[in-house]
mmCIF file of all heavy atoms in Angstrom:
data_model
loop_
_atom_site.group_PDB
_atom_site.id
_atom_site.type_symbol
_atom_site.label_atom_id
_atom_site.label_comp_id
_atom_site.label_asym_id
_atom_site.label_seq_id
_atom_site.Cartn_x
_atom_site.Cartn_y
_atom_site.Cartn_z
ATOM 1 N N LEU A 1 0.823 -1.206 0.000
ATOM 2 C CA LEU A 1 0.000 0.000 0.000
ATOM 3 C C LEU A 1 0.857 1.256 0.000
ATOM 4 O O LEU A 1 0.568 2.228 -0.725
ATOM 5 C CB LEU A 1 -0.926 -0.013 1.220
ATOM 6 C CG LEU A 1 -1.848 1.192 1.394
ATOM 7 C CD1 LEU A 1 -2.784 1.317 0.199
ATOM 8 C CD2 LEU A 1 -2.657 1.077 2.683
ATOM 9 N N ARG A 2 1.933 1.245 0.776
ATOM 10 C CA ARG A 2 2.824 2.403 0.776
ATOM 11 C C ARG A 2 3.496 2.589 -0.588
ATOM 12 O O ARG A 2 3.652 3.717 -1.067
ATOM 13 C CB ARG A 2 3.879 2.247 1.875
ATOM 14 C CG ARG A 2 3.340 2.490 3.275
ATOM 15 C CD ARG A 2 4.474 2.648 4.262
ATOM 16 N NE ARG A 2 5.243 1.412 4.400
ATOM 17 C CZ ARG A 2 4.982 0.465 5.295
ATOM 18 N NH1 ARG A 2 3.967 0.626 6.140
ATOM 19 N NH2 ARG A 2 5.721 -0.612 5.368
ATOM 20 N N ALA A 3 3.867 1.477 -1.225
ATOM 21 C CA ALA A 3 4.462 1.584 -2.577
ATOM 22 C C ALA A 3 3.454 2.137 -3.575
ATOM 23 O O ALA A 3 3.794 2.952 -4.455
ATOM 24 C CB ALA A 3 4.969 0.206 -3.022
ATOM 25 N N LEU A 4 2.190 1.730 -3.464
ATOM 26 C CA LEU A 4 1.149 2.249 -4.366
ATOM 27 C C LEU A 4 0.913 3.729 -4.133
ATOM 28 O O LEU A 4 0.714 4.501 -5.083
ATOM 29 C CB LEU A 4 -0.141 1.458 -4.150
ATOM 30 C CG LEU A 4 -1.356 1.887 -4.992
ATOM 31 C CD1 LEU A 4 -1.072 1.671 -6.475
ATOM 32 C CD2 LEU A 4 -2.602 1.105 -4.569
ATOM 33 N N GLU A 5 0.954 4.170 -2.887
ATOM 34 C CA GLU A 5 0.772 5.586 -2.588
ATOM 35 C C GLU A 5 1.905 6.416 -3.173
ATOM 36 O O GLU A 5 1.680 7.513 -3.708
ATOM 37 C CB GLU A 5 0.681 5.787 -1.073
ATOM 38 C CG GLU A 5 -0.601 5.235 -0.446
ATOM 39 C CD GLU A 5 -0.599 5.385 1.060
ATOM 40 O OE1 GLU A 5 0.456 5.810 1.609
ATOM 41 O OE2 GLU A 5 -1.631 5.075 1.699
ATOM 42 N N LEU A 6 3.119 5.902 -3.066
ATOM 43 C CA LEU A 6 4.252 6.637 -3.647
ATOM 44 C C LEU A 6 4.181 6.675 -5.162
ATOM 45 O O LEU A 6 4.575 7.673 -5.794
ATOM 46 C CB LEU A 6 5.567 5.993 -3.191
ATOM 47 C CG LEU A 6 5.886 6.106 -1.689
ATOM 48 C CD1 LEU A 6 7.162 5.342 -1.373
ATOM 49 C CD2 LEU A 6 6.001 7.561 -1.253
ATOM 50 N N ARG A 7 3.676 5.616 -5.785
ATOM 51 C CA ARG A 7 3.628 5.554 -7.250
ATOM 52 C C ARG A 7 2.493 6.397 -7.819
ATOM 53 O O ARG A 7 2.626 7.027 -8.862
ATOM 54 C CB ARG A 7 3.491 4.096 -7.686
ATOM 55 C CG ARG A 7 3.582 3.905 -9.209
ATOM 56 C CD ARG A 7 3.670 2.441 -9.600
ATOM 57 N NE ARG A 7 2.487 1.701 -9.190
ATOM 58 C CZ ARG A 7 2.453 0.827 -8.179
ATOM 59 N NH1 ARG A 7 3.558 0.601 -7.455
ATOM 60 N NH2 ARG A 7 1.352 0.178 -7.867
ATOM 61 N N THR A 8 1.351 6.434 -7.168
ATOM 62 C CA THR A 8 0.184 7.143 -7.684
ATOM 63 C C THR A 8 0.007 8.522 -7.084
ATOM 64 O O THR A 8 -0.773 9.328 -7.601
ATOM 65 C CB THR A 8 -1.085 6.316 -7.432
ATOM 66 O OG1 THR A 8 -1.236 6.092 -6.015
ATOM 67 C CG2 THR A 8 -1.003 4.971 -8.130
ATOM 68 N N GLY A 9 0.697 8.801 -5.988
ATOM 69 C CA GLY A 9 0.526 10.092 -5.332
ATOM 70 C C GLY A 9 -0.709 10.203 -4.484
ATOM 71 O O GLY A 9 -1.082 11.304 -4.058
ATOM 72 N N ILE A 10 -1.378 9.106 -4.242
ATOM 73 C CA ILE A 10 -2.582 9.105 -3.401
ATOM 74 C C ILE A 10 -2.146 8.859 -1.964
ATOM 75 O O ILE A 10 -1.662 7.764 -1.620
ATOM 76 C CB ILE A 10 -3.581 8.029 -3.854
ATOM 77 C CG1 ILE A 10 -4.010 8.288 -5.302
ATOM 78 C CG2 ILE A 10 -4.788 8.006 -2.936
ATOM 79 C CD1 ILE A 10 -4.915 7.200 -5.854
ATOM 80 N N ALA A 11 -2.305 9.867 -1.128
ATOM 81 C CA ALA A 11 -1.890 9.720 0.265
ATOM 82 C C ALA A 11 -2.987 9.117 1.130
ATOM 83 O O ALA A 11 -2.730 8.267 1.974
ATOM 84 C CB ALA A 11 -1.462 11.077 0.836
ATOM 85 N N ASP A 12 -4.223 9.595 0.877
ATOM 86 C CA ASP A 12 -5.349 9.112 1.672
ATOM 87 C C ASP A 12 -6.299 8.374 0.728
ATOM 88 O O ASP A 12 -7.016 8.995 -0.062
ATOM 89 C CB ASP A 12 -6.050 10.275 2.359
ATOM 90 C CG ASP A 12 -7.066 9.793 3.400
ATOM 91 O OD1 ASP A 12 -7.318 8.565 3.469
ATOM 92 O OD2 ASP A 12 -7.601 10.638 4.149
ATOM 93 N N LEU A 13 -6.283 7.065 0.792
ATOM 94 C CA LEU A 13 -7.096 6.276 -0.126
ATOM 95 C C LEU A 13 -8.587 6.450 0.147
ATOM 96 O O LEU A 13 -9.396 6.550 -0.790
ATOM 97 C CB LEU A 13 -6.709 4.802 -0.028
ATOM 98 C CG LEU A 13 -7.387 3.859 -1.022
ATOM 99 C CD1 LEU A 13 -7.043 4.266 -2.448
ATOM 100 C CD2 LEU A 13 -6.968 2.414 -0.757
ATOM 101 N N ASN A 14 -8.964 6.536 1.400
ATOM 102 C CA ASN A 14 -10.388 6.696 1.724
ATOM 103 C C ASN A 14 -10.915 8.043 1.246
ATOM 104 O O ASN A 14 -12.026 8.139 0.701
ATOM 105 C CB ASN A 14 -10.591 6.547 3.231
ATOM 106 C CG ASN A 14 -10.295 5.138 3.720
ATOM 107 O OD1 ASN A 14 -10.513 4.168 2.993
ATOM 108 N ND2 ASN A 14 -9.817 5.019 4.947
ATOM 109 N N ASN A 15 -10.108 9.084 1.455
ATOM 110 C CA ASN A 15 -10.532 10.410 1.005
ATOM 111 C C ASN A 15 -10.629 10.458 -0.520
ATOM 112 O O ASN A 15 -11.578 11.030 -1.073
ATOM 113 C CB ASN A 15 -9.550 11.450 1.514
ATOM 114 C CG ASN A 15 -10.029 12.873 1.266
ATOM 115 O OD1 ASN A 15 -11.205 13.097 0.983
ATOM 116 N ND2 ASN A 15 -9.118 13.822 1.357
ATOM 117 N N GLN A 16 -9.659 9.811 -1.185
ATOM 118 C CA GLN A 16 -9.700 9.779 -2.643
ATOM 119 C C GLN A 16 -10.909 8.998 -3.141
ATOM 120 O O GLN A 16 -11.565 9.400 -4.118
ATOM 121 C CB GLN A 16 -8.418 9.138 -3.170
ATOM 122 C CG GLN A 16 -8.266 9.188 -4.676
ATOM 123 C CD GLN A 16 -7.986 10.595 -5.167
ATOM 124 O OE1 GLN A 16 -7.619 11.477 -4.392
ATOM 125 N NE2 GLN A 16 -8.170 10.822 -6.468
ATOM 126 N N ARG A 17 -11.231 7.914 -2.481
ATOM 127 C CA ARG A 17 -12.402 7.129 -2.872
ATOM 128 C C ARG A 17 -13.676 7.933 -2.671
ATOM 129 O O ARG A 17 -14.609 7.888 -3.493
ATOM 130 C CB ARG A 17 -12.457 5.840 -2.056
ATOM 131 C CG ARG A 17 -13.621 4.921 -2.453
ATOM 132 C CD ARG A 17 -13.721 3.703 -1.548
ATOM 133 N NE ARG A 17 -12.548 2.858 -1.635
ATOM 134 C CZ ARG A 17 -11.628 2.718 -0.668
ATOM 135 N NH1 ARG A 17 -11.766 3.415 0.456
ATOM 136 N NH2 ARG A 17 -10.594 1.932 -0.827
ATOM 137 N N GLN A 18 -13.756 8.703 -1.587
ATOM 138 C CA GLN A 18 -14.942 9.530 -1.342
ATOM 139 C C GLN A 18 -15.092 10.617 -2.399
ATOM 140 O O GLN A 18 -16.207 10.872 -2.892
ATOM 141 C CB GLN A 18 -14.846 10.149 0.056
ATOM 142 C CG GLN A 18 -16.089 10.931 0.461
ATOM 143 C CD GLN A 18 -15.981 11.457 1.885
ATOM 144 O OE1 GLN A 18 -14.967 11.282 2.539
ATOM 145 N NE2 GLN A 18 -17.039 12.107 2.333
ATOM 146 N N LYS A 19 -13.995 11.239 -2.786
ATOM 147 C CA LYS A 19 -14.058 12.271 -3.817
ATOM 148 C C LYS A 19 -14.498 11.686 -5.153
ATOM 149 O O LYS A 19 -15.329 12.259 -5.864
ATOM 150 C CB LYS A 19 -12.705 12.940 -3.954
ATOM 151 C CG LYS A 19 -12.326 13.827 -2.779
ATOM 152 C CD LYS A 19 -10.982 14.490 -3.014
ATOM 153 C CE LYS A 19 -10.619 15.394 -1.844
ATOM 154 N NZ LYS A 19 -9.281 16.039 -2.035
ATOM 155 N N LEU A 20 -13.928 10.525 -5.509
ATOM 156 C CA LEU A 20 -14.313 9.898 -6.768
ATOM 157 C C LEU A 20 -15.783 9.480 -6.754
ATOM 158 O O LEU A 20 -16.477 9.566 -7.767
ATOM 159 C CB LEU A 20 -13.423 8.678 -7.035
ATOM 160 C CG LEU A 20 -11.952 8.986 -7.348
ATOM 161 C CD1 LEU A 20 -11.170 7.693 -7.498
ATOM 162 C CD2 LEU A 20 -11.853 9.824 -8.624
ATOM 163 N N THR A 21 -16.265 9.054 -5.585
ATOM 164 C CA THR A 21 -17.679 8.683 -5.489
ATOM 165 C C THR A 21 -18.581 9.892 -5.691
ATOM 166 O O THR A 21 -19.602 9.825 -6.408
ATOM 167 C CB THR A 21 -17.953 8.036 -4.122
ATOM 168 O OG1 THR A 21 -17.102 6.899 -3.951
ATOM 169 C CG2 THR A 21 -19.396 7.584 -4.014
ATOM 170 N N LEU A 22 -18.202 11.024 -5.078
ATOM 171 C CA LEU A 22 -18.994 12.250 -5.268
ATOM 172 C C LEU A 22 -18.930 12.706 -6.725
ATOM 173 O O LEU A 22 -19.944 13.149 -7.300
ATOM 174 C CB LEU A 22 -18.476 13.341 -4.333
ATOM 175 C CG LEU A 22 -18.672 13.081 -2.824
ATOM 176 C CD1 LEU A 22 -18.025 14.206 -2.012
ATOM 177 C CD2 LEU A 22 -20.163 12.980 -2.490
ATOM 178 N N GLN A 23 -17.760 12.630 -7.337
ATOM 179 C CA GLN A 23 -17.631 13.044 -8.730
ATOM 180 C C GLN A 23 -18.452 12.138 -9.646
ATOM 181 O O GLN A 23 -19.115 12.624 -10.585
ATOM 182 C CB GLN A 23 -16.159 13.013 -9.131
ATOM 183 C CG GLN A 23 -15.899 13.540 -10.536
ATOM 184 C CD GLN A 23 -14.419 13.540 -10.852
ATOM 185 O OE1 GLN A 23 -13.593 13.160 -10.021
ATOM 186 N NE2 GLN A 23 -14.076 13.990 -12.065
ATOM 187 N N LEU A 24 -18.430 10.843 -9.381
ATOM 188 C CA LEU A 24 -19.232 9.912 -10.173
ATOM 189 C C LEU A 24 -20.716 10.195 -10.008
ATOM 190 O O LEU A 24 -21.489 10.146 -10.994
ATOM 191 C CB LEU A 24 -18.909 8.478 -9.753
ATOM 192 C CG LEU A 24 -19.670 7.378 -10.493
ATOM 193 C CD1 LEU A 24 -19.357 7.427 -11.987
ATOM 194 C CD2 LEU A 24 -19.324 6.008 -9.915
ATOM 195 N N GLY A 25 -21.138 10.529 -8.778
ATOM 196 C CA GLY A 25 -22.546 10.879 -8.572
ATOM 197 C C GLY A 25 -22.948 12.122 -9.350
ATOM 198 O O GLY A 25 -24.041 12.182 -9.947
ATOM 199 N N GLY A 26 -22.069 13.151 -9.399
ATOM 200 C CA GLY A 26 -22.373 14.351 -10.175
ATOM 201 C C GLY A 26 -22.458 14.068 -11.669
ATOM 202 O O GLY A 26 -23.338 14.599 -12.365
ATOM 203 N N LEU A 27 -21.547 13.241 -12.176
ATOM 204 C CA LEU A 27 -21.589 12.884 -13.596
ATOM 205 C C LEU A 27 -22.862 12.107 -13.931
ATOM 206 O O LEU A 27 -23.453 12.297 -15.016
ATOM 207 C CB LEU A 27 -20.356 12.065 -13.954
ATOM 208 C CG LEU A 27 -19.020 12.818 -13.907
ATOM 209 C CD1 LEU A 27 -17.868 11.860 -14.181
ATOM 210 C CD2 LEU A 27 -19.013 13.977 -14.909
ATOM 211 N N GLU A 28 -23.300 11.227 -13.051
ATOM 212 C CA GLU A 28 -24.544 10.506 -13.294
ATOM 213 C C GLU A 28 -25.733 11.458 -13.315
ATOM 214 O O GLU A 28 -26.668 11.285 -14.143
ATOM 215 C CB GLU A 28 -24.730 9.433 -12.222
ATOM 216 C CG GLU A 28 -23.761 8.256 -12.340
ATOM 217 C CD GLU A 28 -23.986 7.218 -11.265
ATOM 218 O OE1 GLU A 28 -24.778 7.505 -10.334
ATOM 219 O OE2 GLU A 28 -23.371 6.131 -11.336
ATOM 220 N N ASP A 29 -25.757 12.470 -12.450
ATOM 221 C CA ASP A 29 -26.843 13.453 -12.460
ATOM 222 C C ASP A 29 -26.842 14.240 -13.778
ATOM 223 O O ASP A 29 -27.918 14.469 -14.384
ATOM 224 C CB ASP A 29 -26.701 14.405 -11.271
ATOM 225 C CG ASP A 29 -26.945 13.694 -9.944
ATOM 226 O OD1 ASP A 29 -27.588 12.618 -9.952
ATOM 227 O OD2 ASP A 29 -26.482 14.195 -8.892
ATOM 228 N N ASP A 30 -25.658 14.673 -14.249
ATOM 229 C CA ASP A 30 -25.579 15.400 -15.518
ATOM 230 C C ASP A 30 -26.029 14.518 -16.674
ATOM 231 O O ASP A 30 -26.706 14.992 -17.618
ATOM 232 C CB ASP A 30 -24.155 15.882 -15.750
ATOM 233 C CG ASP A 30 -23.727 16.932 -14.728
ATOM 234 O OD1 ASP A 30 -24.627 17.549 -14.116
ATOM 235 O OD2 ASP A 30 -22.504 17.112 -14.522
ATOM 236 N N TYR A 31 -25.646 13.242 -16.623
ATOM 237 C CA TYR A 31 -26.051 12.329 -17.692
ATOM 238 C C TYR A 31 -27.561 12.165 -17.726
ATOM 239 O O TYR A 31 -28.190 12.201 -18.806
ATOM 240 C CB TYR A 31 -25.374 10.983 -17.479
ATOM 241 C CG TYR A 31 -25.821 9.909 -18.442
ATOM 242 C CD1 TYR A 31 -25.375 9.901 -19.763
ATOM 243 C CD2 TYR A 31 -26.701 8.904 -18.029
ATOM 244 C CE1 TYR A 31 -25.790 8.915 -20.646
ATOM 245 C CE2 TYR A 31 -27.134 7.929 -18.902
ATOM 246 C CZ TYR A 31 -26.677 7.930 -20.216
ATOM 247 O OH TYR A 31 -27.087 6.958 -21.088
ATOM 248 N N ASN A 32 -28.168 12.001 -16.574
ATOM 249 C CA ASN A 32 -29.628 11.863 -16.525
ATOM 250 C C ASN A 32 -30.326 13.145 -17.005
ATOM 251 O O ASN A 32 -31.345 13.088 -17.727
ATOM 252 C CB ASN A 32 -30.088 11.522 -15.118
ATOM 253 C CG ASN A 32 -29.601 10.140 -14.667
ATOM 254 O OD1 ASN A 32 -29.425 9.257 -15.504
ATOM 255 N ND2 ASN A 32 -29.397 9.962 -13.375
ATOM 256 N N LYS A 33 -29.779 14.310 -16.649
ATOM 257 C CA LYS A 33 -30.365 15.575 -17.080
ATOM 258 C C LYS A 33 -30.243 15.736 -18.598
ATOM 259 O O LYS A 33 -31.197 16.173 -19.274
ATOM 260 C CB LYS A 33 -29.674 16.720 -16.357
ATOM 261 C CG LYS A 33 -30.237 18.090 -16.690
ATOM 262 C CD LYS A 33 -29.514 19.179 -15.896
ATOM 263 C CE LYS A 33 -30.072 20.554 -16.238
ATOM 264 N NZ LYS A 33 -29.349 21.613 -15.486
ATOM 265 N N THR A 34 -29.092 15.368 -19.150
ATOM 266 C CA THR A 34 -28.889 15.461 -20.603
ATOM 267 C C THR A 34 -29.823 14.512 -21.340
ATOM 268 O O THR A 34 -30.373 14.851 -22.410
ATOM 269 C CB THR A 34 -27.433 15.145 -20.929
ATOM 270 O OG1 THR A 34 -26.572 16.043 -20.195
ATOM 271 C CG2 THR A 34 -27.158 15.316 -22.421
ATOM 272 N N GLN A 35 -30.005 13.311 -20.788
ATOM 273 C CA GLN A 35 -30.913 12.368 -21.406
ATOM 274 C C GLN A 35 -32.339 12.899 -21.424
ATOM 275 O O GLN A 35 -33.076 12.734 -22.418
ATOM 276 C CB GLN A 35 -30.868 11.034 -20.634
ATOM 277 C CG GLN A 35 -29.585 10.226 -20.855
ATOM 278 C CD GLN A 35 -29.486 9.674 -22.254
ATOM 279 O OE1 GLN A 35 -28.694 10.139 -23.062
ATOM 280 N NE2 GLN A 35 -30.334 8.714 -22.564
ATOM 281 N N ALA A 36 -32.745 13.551 -20.323
ATOM 282 C CA ALA A 36 -34.096 14.120 -20.279
ATOM 283 C C ALA A 36 -34.245 15.248 -21.302
ATOM 284 O O ALA A 36 -35.266 15.348 -22.029
ATOM 285 C CB ALA A 36 -34.399 14.631 -18.869
ATOM 286 N N GLU A 37 -33.240 16.134 -21.424
ATOM 287 C CA GLU A 37 -33.311 17.225 -22.402
ATOM 288 C C GLU A 37 -33.322 16.677 -23.829
ATOM 289 O O GLU A 37 -34.038 17.187 -24.714
ATOM 290 C CB GLU A 37 -32.123 18.158 -22.201
ATOM 291 C CG GLU A 37 -32.178 18.941 -20.890
ATOM 292 C CD GLU A 37 -30.958 19.823 -20.703
ATOM 293 O OE1 GLU A 37 -30.026 19.715 -21.555
ATOM 294 O OE2 GLU A 37 -30.920 20.602 -19.727
ATOM 295 N N LEU A 38 -32.520 15.618 -24.079
ATOM 296 C CA LEU A 38 -32.509 15.022 -25.402
ATOM 297 C C LEU A 38 -33.859 14.421 -25.759
ATOM 298 O O LEU A 38 -34.360 14.572 -26.896
ATOM 299 C CB LEU A 38 -31.416 13.947 -25.468
ATOM 300 C CG LEU A 38 -31.292 13.171 -26.789
ATOM 301 C CD1 LEU A 38 -30.962 14.137 -27.934
ATOM 302 C CD2 LEU A 38 -30.243 12.078 -26.675
ATOM 303 N N ALA A 39 -34.505 13.774 -24.811
ATOM 304 C CA ALA A 39 -35.828 13.194 -25.065
ATOM 305 C C ALA A 39 -36.853 14.287 -25.359
ATOM 306 O O ALA A 39 -37.704 14.158 -26.267
ATOM 307 C CB ALA A 39 -36.257 12.340 -23.877
ATOM 308 N N ALA A 40 -36.773 15.396 -24.607
ATOM 309 C CA ALA A 40 -37.713 16.503 -24.851
ATOM 310 C C ALA A 40 -37.473 17.122 -26.233
ATOM 311 O O ALA A 40 -38.429 17.467 -26.959
ATOM 312 C CB ALA A 40 -37.564 17.541 -23.745
ATOM 313 N N THR A 41 -36.213 17.266 -26.619
ATOM 314 C CA THR A 41 -35.905 17.845 -27.929
ATOM 315 C C THR A 41 -36.397 16.940 -29.052
ATOM 316 O O THR A 41 -36.951 17.405 -30.076
ATOM 317 C CB THR A 41 -34.401 18.067 -28.051
ATOM 318 O OG1 THR A 41 -33.973 18.909 -26.976
ATOM 319 C CG2 THR A 41 -34.048 18.724 -29.376
ATOM 320 N N ILE A 42 -36.210 15.614 -28.899
ATOM 321 C CA ILE A 42 -36.678 14.678 -29.920
ATOM 322 C C ILE A 42 -38.197 14.726 -30.047
ATOM 323 O O ILE A 42 -38.766 14.717 -31.150
ATOM 324 C CB ILE A 42 -36.188 13.258 -29.582
ATOM 325 C CG1 ILE A 42 -34.656 13.166 -29.745
ATOM 326 C CG2 ILE A 42 -36.848 12.227 -30.476
ATOM 327 C CD1 ILE A 42 -34.076 11.860 -29.305
ATOM 328 N N THR A 43 -38.900 14.819 -28.916
ATOM 329 C CA THR A 43 -40.365 14.898 -28.946
ATOM 330 C C THR A 43 -40.832 16.178 -29.644
ATOM 331 O O THR A 43 -41.772 16.175 -30.458
ATOM 332 C CB THR A 43 -40.919 14.834 -27.516
ATOM 333 O OG1 THR A 43 -40.466 13.632 -26.897
ATOM 334 C CG2 THR A 43 -42.430 14.865 -27.520
ATOM 335 N N GLU A 44 -40.182 17.290 -29.349
ATOM 336 C CA GLU A 44 -40.542 18.559 -29.984
ATOM 337 C C GLU A 44 -40.274 18.514 -31.492
ATOM 338 O O GLU A 44 -41.069 19.019 -32.300
ATOM 339 C CB GLU A 44 -39.759 19.690 -29.340
ATOM 340 C CG GLU A 44 -40.136 21.081 -29.871
ATOM 341 C CD GLU A 44 -39.368 22.190 -29.186
ATOM 342 O OE1 GLU A 44 -38.533 21.861 -28.308
ATOM 343 O OE2 GLU A 44 -39.598 23.370 -29.524
ATOM 344 N N LEU A 45 -39.162 17.876 -31.871
ATOM 345 C CA LEU A 45 -38.827 17.772 -33.285
ATOM 346 C C LEU A 45 -39.858 16.925 -34.027
ATOM 347 O O LEU A 45 -40.281 17.272 -35.146
ATOM 348 C CB LEU A 45 -37.442 17.164 -33.451
ATOM 349 C CG LEU A 45 -36.958 16.908 -34.870
ATOM 350 C CD1 LEU A 45 -36.891 18.231 -35.656
ATOM 351 C CD2 LEU A 45 -35.624 16.213 -34.876
#
């Protein structure tokens, strides 16, 4: 684990995992919003 931290620069694995989880949640929200806008645009067209 210490060798992996030195190689990747990740000091706190739990904190990094929490940040990636929050970022993934935000990307999923944007994806769902884009899908809804695309469906509305297709219906209007």
Side-chain angles (χ1 to χ4, degrees):
L1 179 61
R2 285 194 295 269
L4 179 64
E5 290 177 354
L6 293 176
R7 186 171 62 253
T8 59
I10 300 176
D12 191 352
L13 185 61
N14 293 328
N15 189 16
Q16 187 71 16
R17 183 185 297 109
Q18 185 177 3
K19 289 182 179 179
L20 291 176
T21 303
L22 294 176
Q23 185 178 359
L24 180 61
L27 292 176
E28 289 180 351
D29 292 339
D30 294 339
Y31 174 76
N32 294 330
K33 182 178 180 181
T34 303
Q35 287 291 108
E37 292 178 354
L38 178 61
T41 303
I42 291 174
T43 303
E44 184 178 1
L45 177 61

